[in-house]
Amino acid sequence: MKTSTLTLAAALAGAAMTVFAQAPAAHEGETPEQRHYRLRGGDIERPDSFKGKVAFVDTQSRVAFTNIELAAGTLMEATGCNIVAAKSAAGKPEEFMKSLDAAVVVVVVDDETTPAMLVAPEDHWGVVNVAKLVDDLPTEKAKTRFIGSRTTKEIIRAFSLLCGGGSSQFPGNMMNATSLRKLDTTVDSIPVDMVGYYQEYLKTLGVTVRAMTNYKTACREGWAPAPTNDVQKAIWDKVHAMPTEPLKIKPETKKQDK
């Protein structure tokens, strides 16, 4: 009888293991990104970040607006701050700062009389003049080829001079170019040593970097918005669930005298 009981128990255990092995895992096949979303609810922006704005205002038609957008996008990606490109009729930089509520403004113009770049650091604005960016080039073909990239780089240089960055310690970048011709051979990326300068300077003007966290952390800290899907609702309900048993306060244990 004892042997039969042991044999039956072993058979049942083996059957249970077989069923368990055949049952699919609850989240089998999910990617790391899917698992992160299921557990954390995705990334959201902290409400006390991404304040203020820098604006690049395009008032000309010689150079495509996409070149101004490229300058804004490049710097926004590098700094994490809100940097936008906008189209507008002609106007003064101070007027654009007010109408766009921007802490720093770079205006792109087409003017035959003013220099290629003007900056007013104390007033937090600059002007890039596309009419003067290709004066050194002998042919229309060359001007057409280089004016777009020169405009993008010159806007970034104007921003850099306005926002705490001068020349970089790294060679071959646009910040160290001493002429328009040298702009053509520099890389398009922002030197890494400039980014910290920009962020610290812009912070003093109320322009702050975007800070992200996940939905679960936001729930735990008490500022998360209402859930927008089943995953976030499950996280919300779990974090905000009341304890099933009352908390018990144990008496403080007395320290034994040595």
Side-chain angles (χ1 to χ4, degrees), residues 117 119 121 156-167 175 198 201:
M117 182 200 298
V119 291
I156 293 174
R157 278 160 51 87
F159 167 91
S160 185
L161 292 170
L162 289 169
C163 298
S167 61
M175 307 309 170
Y198 302 155
Y201 187 88

Side-chain angles (χ1 to χ4, degrees), residues 55-78:
F56 299 156
V57 185
D58 185 17
T59 67
Q60 54 80 50
S61 58
R62 185 183 303 207
V63 178
F65 182 58
T66 52
N67 294 284
I68 288 77
E69 290 180 308
L70 178 59
T74 299
L75 285 165
M76 185 170 173
E77 182 178 358

Side-chain angles (χ1 to χ4, degrees), residues 28-252:
E28 183 179 0
E30 72 177 0
T31 65
E33 292 79 10
Q34 291 170 330
R35 183 175 186 276
H36 178 272
Y37 186 81
R38 174 173 57 82
L39 296 177
R40 303 296 180 183
D43 294 332
I44 60 174
E45 183 181 307
R46 286 189 173 276
D48 57 346
S49 70
F50 208 52
K51 303 295 185 182
K53 182 195 305 178
V54 173
F56 299 156
V57 185
D58 185 17
T59 67
Q60 54 80 50
S61 58
R62 185 183 303 207
V63 178
F65 182 58
T66 52
N67 294 284
I68 288 77
E69 290 180 308
L70 178 59
T74 299
L75 285 165
M76 185 170 173
E77 182 178 358
T79 65
C81 296
N82 189 14
I83 303 176
V84 301
K87 284 286 290 184
S88 180
K92 295 181 179 180
E94 299 92 333
E95 297 171 344
F96 292 129
M97 292 177 72
K98 185 176 181 180
S99 63
L100 296 172
D101 191 25
V104 177
V105 163
V106 177
V107 184
V108 184
V109 302
D110 187 349
D111 182 5
E112 295 296 337
T113 60
T114 54
M117 182 200 298
L118 293 172
V119 291
E122 289 80 12
D123 296 312
H124 312 300
W125 59 259
V127 177
V128 170
N129 181 15
V130 298
K132 295 295 183 178
L133 292 183
V134 288
D135 277 355
D136 61 316
L137 300 177
T139 66
E140 288 301 318
K141 183 178 180 180
K143 292 179 181 181
T144 301
R145 177 182 176 185
F146 289 106
I147 192 169
S149 62
R150 285 188 179 186
T151 300
T152 299
K153 291 178 180 179
E154 197 76 344
I155 293 171
I156 293 174
R157 278 160 51 87
F159 167 91
S160 185
L161 292 170
L162 289 169
C163 298
S167 61
S168 169
Q169 64 179 309
F170 299 107
N173 69 84
M174 67 188 87
M175 307 309 170
N176 296 347
T178 55
S179 68
L180 292 171
R181 285 287 179 96
K182 289 187 177 180
L183 272 184
D184 302 331
T185 58
T186 61
V187 296
D188 295 335
S189 58
I190 309 299
V192 66
D193 58 340
M194 295 287 98
V195 175
Y197 298 147
Y198 302 155
Q199 291 173 336
E200 287 300 315
Y201 187 88
L202 288 171
K203 185 178 180 180
T204 66
L205 300 178
V207 181
T208 60
V209 302
R210 172 181 277 146
M212 305 294 290
T213 189
N214 60 69
Y215 189 77
K216 184 175 183 179
T217 298
C219 286
R220 286 175 170 173
E221 294 179 357
W223 58 268
T228 59
N229 54 55
D230 292 341
V231 171
Q232 290 185 349
K233 187 176 185 306
I235 293 172
W236 174 283
D237 291 343
K238 184 175 181 180
V239 172
H240 292 87
M242 296 294 290
T244 56
E245 296 181 2
L247 296 176
K248 296 180 181 179
I249 301 176
K250 297 181 179 180
E252 184 179 354

